[in-house]
Amino acid sequence: MKRIQYKILLALVGTLLVLISTMPAMLQPIKSESDKGQENVVRPQVASYPDYCYTIGTTSVSGSDNAHFNMATQVAVNSSGDLYVADELNHRVQVFNPAGVYQYTIGTAGTPGTDNAHFNYPQGVAVNASGHVYVVDSGNHRVQVFDNVGNYQYTIGNTSNYGADNTHLNIPIDVAVNATGYAYVADSYNHRVQVFDNAGNYQYTIGVSGVSGSDNITFDTPYGVAVNVTGNVYVADYKNNRVQVFDKAGNYQYTIGVTGESGNDNAHFNYPLGVEVNVTGHLYVADTFNHRVQVFDNAGTYQYTIGVTGESGNDNAHFYEPCGVAINGTGHLYVADTSNDRVQVFGVLAPTGLVIDINGGAAETGSISVTLTLSASGATEMCFSNNGTTYTTWEPYNTTKAWVLDSSPGMKTVYFKVRNSVYESAPVSDTITYTPPSGGGIPGFPLVVLLAAISLGTLSLRLRIKRISLT
C-alpha cells in the first residue's frame, strides 16, 4: 500500500510540475502575428491642423537674402515635399526642402525683367506631377514654366503685353495644375480662369472674358485657383467675397461665402485671395483681410479656423494678411503669411510628454500582475512590451493599464509608446524589481493558481485511490 501511495504522490508532483512549466506562457500578454516587428508607419492625415510646427523666413522682417522674404504671396509643394514660395517684391521664387532648408532660387533676386531669367512681381506658383514649376509672372502678364531643376521650358501668355484674347493674359495672379497637367490660370483683370493643356495650348475659359459680375458665370477679379483630385475647380472670387466651385468641364456647382458681402463670421469672407484642396477634398481658404484660414469639407460645410479672426499679429497664433496656402503629402499645411514676410507651417506633431509608472513608481513588487499609470500629450493609441522589441497590438490611449510582467525574478522593464493620426513616438520605459513571495505559494505564481493546481492534483489522487480500491 505504501508503494502505491508513493506512486500517487509522485503523480501529484508531476502534475504540479507540468502546470508550473506551462503557466508562465499562459500569463504573458496575448500577441498576434501582426505584432511582430512593428514598424513606424506614417498614417494618413486627417483634416485637422492643431499644431504650429515652424516658420520659414524671419517674422515681420523683410529682406532679400535666403533667410528673408519680401511679400511671400503664394506657396506650392511638390511630390517630394519641396516648398516653392513666390517672393513677390524680390522678383523670385525660393525653393526649400521638406525641413525648410533653402535650396535654390528661380529668377534674379531684387531685379525685375522681361527675359526668361527674370520675373516682374511674381505672385503665383504651382508644381505638376512631374515636378515642372509654373510661376505666375504677374507684372509681365505671363506664366513661366520650368523643369524640376529650374530650367526654363516655355511661356503661357504674351510677355509684357496684356490683352483679353486667348493668347494674352491681364495681370494673372495664381495658377493650379491638375493630374493630367492642365494649367488653370486666374487671369484676374480679365475676370476669368483660362485653361491650358500640358504643352501650354489654350483649351477653354471659365467666366466671361473682360466682364466683371456677381452671378454664377462671372467673376470680379478672381485671385486664387485650385483643382481637386476629381477635377473640380475652386476659384477665390476676390471682390465678390466668395469661392466659386465648378466641375471639370467648367460648369458651376455651388458657392462658399455670401456673394458681395464681406464679414468675419464663418459664413462670410473678407476678400479671400488663396485656395487649396487636400486629398480628402477639404478646402482651405486664405481669408486675407480676416487674417485667418477657413477650412471646409468637400461639400462646402465650415469645419474650423486657423488663426484669430479679425486680429492681425506676428506670433504663431496669428496671421497678417495671409495670401496663399499649400498642403504636402503628409498633410502639413503651409500658409504664406504675406504681410509678416514668412511662411507658417502647421501639422500634427508626434505625441510628447510620455510617462510610464509601474505600480505608482514603486521600486519592488511581489506579484507579476501590476498597474501602469500613463500620460502623453496628443496620443490616440498606445502599445506595450516587456522586452522593447515585440509590442502588443495598438489600443485606444488610456491613462491606466493592467499589465503582467514576465515571471522570472529580478529587474523588470516595461516599454510604452503611443501614436496619433500621423506620427509614432519613441518608446519610454519604467523598471521595477520583481521578488517572488517567500511563502504562501510557489515563487512566481499567485496563490489562486497554486490552489487550482492542488485541487486538480487532489482530484487525480482520489480517482487513483478509487481505482486501487476496486482492484
Side-chain angles (χ1 to χ4, degrees):
M1 184 66 179
K2 288 182 179 180
R3 292 180 62 186
I4 293 172
Q5 290 175 339
Y6 180 70
K7 289 181 179 180
I8 292 171
L9 179 61
L10 287 178
L12 175 59
V13 171
T15 301
L16 290 174
L17 288 175
V18 169
L19 285 169
I20 291 169
S21 66
T22 57
M23 284 307 297
M26 295 169 61
L27 291 170
Q28 296 304 307
I30 298 173
K31 303 179 181 69
S32 68
E33 288 298 316
S34 62
D35 300 324
K36 297 178 181 178
Q38 275 189 349
E39 298 178 346
N40 296 345
V41 178
V42 176
R43 307 180 75 208
Q45 169 67 43
V46 296
S48 180
Y49 295 90
D51 299 313
Y52 161 79
C53 293
Y54 59 93
T55 295
I56 303 173
T58 304
T59 299
S60 300
V61 180
S62 62
S64 59
D65 61 21
N66 296 326
H68 293 80
F69 302 115
N70 193 355
M71 297 291 285
T73 52
Q74 288 287 346
V75 284
V77 186
N78 70 10
S79 59
S80 300
D82 295 320
L83 176 70
Y84 297 76
V85 183
D87 189 13
E88 182 184 359
L89 298 187
N90 279 324
H91 309 288
R92 67 185 181 183
V93 170
Q94 296 286 83
V95 185
F96 302 84
N97 71 11
V101 178
Y102 168 79
Q103 301 298 294
Y104 63 93
T105 296
I106 305 174
T108 304
T111 306
T114 60
D115 60 20
N116 296 326
H118 292 79
F119 302 120
N120 188 11
Y121 301 103
Q123 293 196 52
V125 62
V127 187
N128 72 8
S130 62
H132 282 64
V133 183
Y134 295 69
V135 180
V136 182
D137 189 12
S138 300
N140 280 325
H141 310 290
R142 67 185 182 182
V143 175
Q144 297 285 83
V145 184
F146 302 84
D147 67 15
N148 57 5
V149 293
N151 298 309
Y152 169 77
Q153 301 297 295
Y154 61 91
T155 296
I156 300 172
N158 197 312
T159 299
S160 299
N161 293 313
Y162 65 89
D165 61 25
N166 295 327
T167 63
H168 289 79
L169 303 170
N170 189 0
I171 309 182
I173 298 295
D174 195 17
V175 62
V177 186
N178 73 6
T180 60
Y182 276 51
Y184 297 74
V185 180
D187 188 15
S188 297
Y189 281 69
N190 277 325
H191 309 291
R192 66 187 181 183
V193 172
Q194 294 287 83
V195 185
F196 302 86
D197 68 15
N198 54 13
N201 300 306
Y202 168 78
Q203 300 298 298
Y204 63 94
T205 297
I206 304 173
V208 180
S209 293
V211 178
S212 65
S214 60
D215 58 25
N216 294 327
I217 62 169
T218 57
F219 303 116
D220 191 351
T221 320
Y223 267 37
V225 61
V227 186
N228 74 6
V229 293
T230 62
N232 285 347
V233 182
Y234 298 76
V235 182
D237 192 10
Y238 176 70
K239 289 186 179 179
N240 278 325
N241 289 297
R242 66 185 182 182
V243 174
Q244 296 287 82
V245 185
F246 302 85
D247 67 18
K248 61 184 178 182
N251 300 306
Y252 168 78
Q253 301 297 296
Y254 60 92
T255 296
I256 304 173
V258 180
T259 299
E261 292 184 12
S262 64
N264 61 11
D265 60 21
N266 296 326
H268 290 78
F269 300 117
N270 192 1
Y271 296 98
L273 278 170
V275 285
E276 180 64 295
V277 188
N278 74 4
V279 293
T280 64
H282 281 66
L283 175 70
Y284 299 77
V285 182
D287 188 14
T288 303
F289 293 105
N290 276 326
H291 311 291
R292 66 186 182 182
V293 174
Q294 296 286 83
V295 185
F296 302 84
D297 67 16
N298 57 7
T301 303
Y302 168 79
Q303 302 296 295
Y304 60 93
T305 296
I306 305 168
V308 180
T309 297
E311 292 184 13
S312 63
N314 61 9
D315 60 21
N316 296 328
H318 289 79
F319 302 117
Y320 186 13
E321 297 176 353
C323 287
V325 285
I327 301 169
N328 73 5
T330 59
H332 283 72
L333 176 70
Y334 297 78
V335 180
D337 190 13
T338 305
S339 292
N340 275 326
D341 296 303
R342 67 185 181 181
V343 174
Q344 296 286 82
V345 186
F346 300 84
V348 178
L349 299 174
T352 57
L354 277 70
V355 177
I356 176 173
D357 287 319
I358 305 173
N359 283 353
E364 189 174 4
T365 179
S367 170
I368 59 175
S369 296
V370 296
T371 299
L372 309 179
T373 304
L374 312 160
S375 65
S377 177
T380 57
E381 294 180 295
M382 61 185 184
C383 63
F384 304 89
S385 174
N386 275 335
N387 58 21
T389 301
T390 305
Y391 282 81
T392 59
T393 55
W394 291 101
E395 60 186 273
Y397 171 72
N398 207 332
T399 56
T400 59
K401 170 74 174 178
W403 186 250
V404 178
L405 307 171
D406 68 56
S407 59
S408 58
M411 184 74 74
K412 301 290 145 190
T413 302
V414 179
Y415 299 85
F416 162 57
K417 62 182 179 180
V418 295
R419 69 183 182 186
N420 56 32
S421 59
V422 178
Y423 296 112
E424 181 179 304
S425 71
V428 297
S429 63
D430 191 25
T431 58
I432 193 167
T433 299
Y434 168 54
T435 303
S438 57
I442 296 173
F445 294 91
L447 183 59
V448 65
V449 175
L450 182 60
L451 290 175
I454 292 173
S455 297
L456 183 59
T458 302
L459 176 61
S460 175
L461 175 60
R462 288 175 178 172
L463 290 174
R464 289 174 181 268
I465 291 172
K466 184 175 181 179
R467 187 164 56 196
I468 290 167
S469 64
L470 289 174
T471 58

